[in-house]
Amino acid sequence: MKNKSLLIIIGIVVLLGVYVMGVQRNLVNLSEEVSASWGDVQVQYQRRADLIPNLVETVKGQAIKEQEIFTQIAEARSKLAGATTVKETIDANAEVSSVLGRLLAITENYPVLKQNEGFQDLRIQLEGTENRIATHRKFYNDNVKAYNKKIKVFPTSIAASILGFSDEFPYIEAEAGAEKAPDVKF
């Protein structure tokens, strides 16, 4: 009788151990998916940051009097370059998006610039990059959602807590006022 009870207890402990190992493996995989998708977002952010100086120089030649927007772009890029956390990077990129929207709105008042082939090419590249950023942001948010759901659902939540997994990944959200077009004043 004692041997049977001991075997049952050992069996339960082994099953719990196998379950916890499975949960740990699954959570590590989900965490790595989130990290990899964040890397994809950062690649697109870097692509956009690399395009900005070319766009600015092209516009600068036609729109010298718009110095304020160039200063704002430089400041936004500086914040982006200095970002060290996911949250800082998300916030800095929201500012870059806002300033770029204003820059592109300004260019509408320069017909010669709109006809410039180099500017058109840069604008198309920037639009494509913005689309890729949106796609990668969605993929990142989907991975964060899957990870967060997994660590919050019972009984996985218990194992996740014991193993040190938490909802450490922030969602990328639209900036406040994103539903409105930027104001451009001359």
Side-chain angles (χ1 to χ4, degrees):
M1 188 76 164
K2 287 185 180 185
N3 285 341
K4 192 174 186 181
S5 297
L6 184 60
L7 286 175
I8 291 173
I9 292 172
I10 290 173
I12 290 172
V13 169
V14 167
L15 285 175
L16 281 173
V18 168
Y19 172 75
V20 168
M21 286 186 336
V23 166
Q24 191 267 350
R25 177 173 287 155
N26 192 325
L27 292 176
V28 166
N29 287 339
L30 288 171
S31 176
E32 287 302 311
E33 279 293 320
V34 172
S35 295
S37 60
W38 176 244
D40 292 342
V41 170
Q42 287 183 303
V43 165
Q44 296 308 316
Y45 284 162
Q46 185 61 51
R47 176 180 162 78
R48 177 174 60 185
D50 292 344
L51 285 172
I52 290 171
N54 296 330
L55 184 64
V56 166
E57 287 305 314
T58 303
V59 173
K60 217 183 245 188
Q62 298 289 324
I64 299 297
K65 67 181 182 176
E66 307 299 342
Q67 192 59 41
E68 181 182 337
I69 194 74
F70 301 127
T71 302
Q72 291 172 350
I73 288 171
E75 289 170 357
R77 282 190 75 227
S78 176
K79 286 181 187 175
L80 180 59
T84 57
T85 66
V86 172
K87 179 73 174 130
E88 287 175 0
T89 304
I90 290 170
D91 292 344
N93 272 289
E95 188 172 334
V96 168
S97 293
S98 175
V99 174
L100 280 177
R102 288 194 300 276
L103 176 66
L104 292 175
I106 286 171
T107 63
E108 292 299 313
N109 289 326
Y110 292 90
V112 172
L113 180 59
K114 289 194 303 187
Q115 294 170 2
N116 178 303
E117 190 175 315
F119 173 74
Q120 290 298 334
D121 182 49
L122 285 169
R123 199 187 87 213
I124 289 167
Q125 286 185 47
L126 188 60
E127 287 172 358
T129 299
E130 292 297 327
N131 289 336
R132 284 191 286 280
I133 287 171
T135 299
H136 288 291
R137 282 177 177 165
K138 181 183 180 334
F139 186 64
Y140 168 80
N141 280 345
D142 289 346
N143 283 328
V144 170
K145 178 180 170 185
Y147 172 81
N148 285 343
K149 282 172 55 176
K150 189 72 168 179
I151 66 169
K152 292 178 181 178
V153 174
F154 181 81
T156 306
S157 60
I158 295 170
S161 177
I162 291 169
L163 295 169
F165 289 91
S166 64
D167 58 350
E168 62 195 276
F169 303 107
Y171 284 102
I172 301 174
E173 298 176 0
E175 64 182 280
E179 69 282 355
K180 297 186 306 185
D183 289 335
V184 179
K185 296 177 183 169
F186 295 100

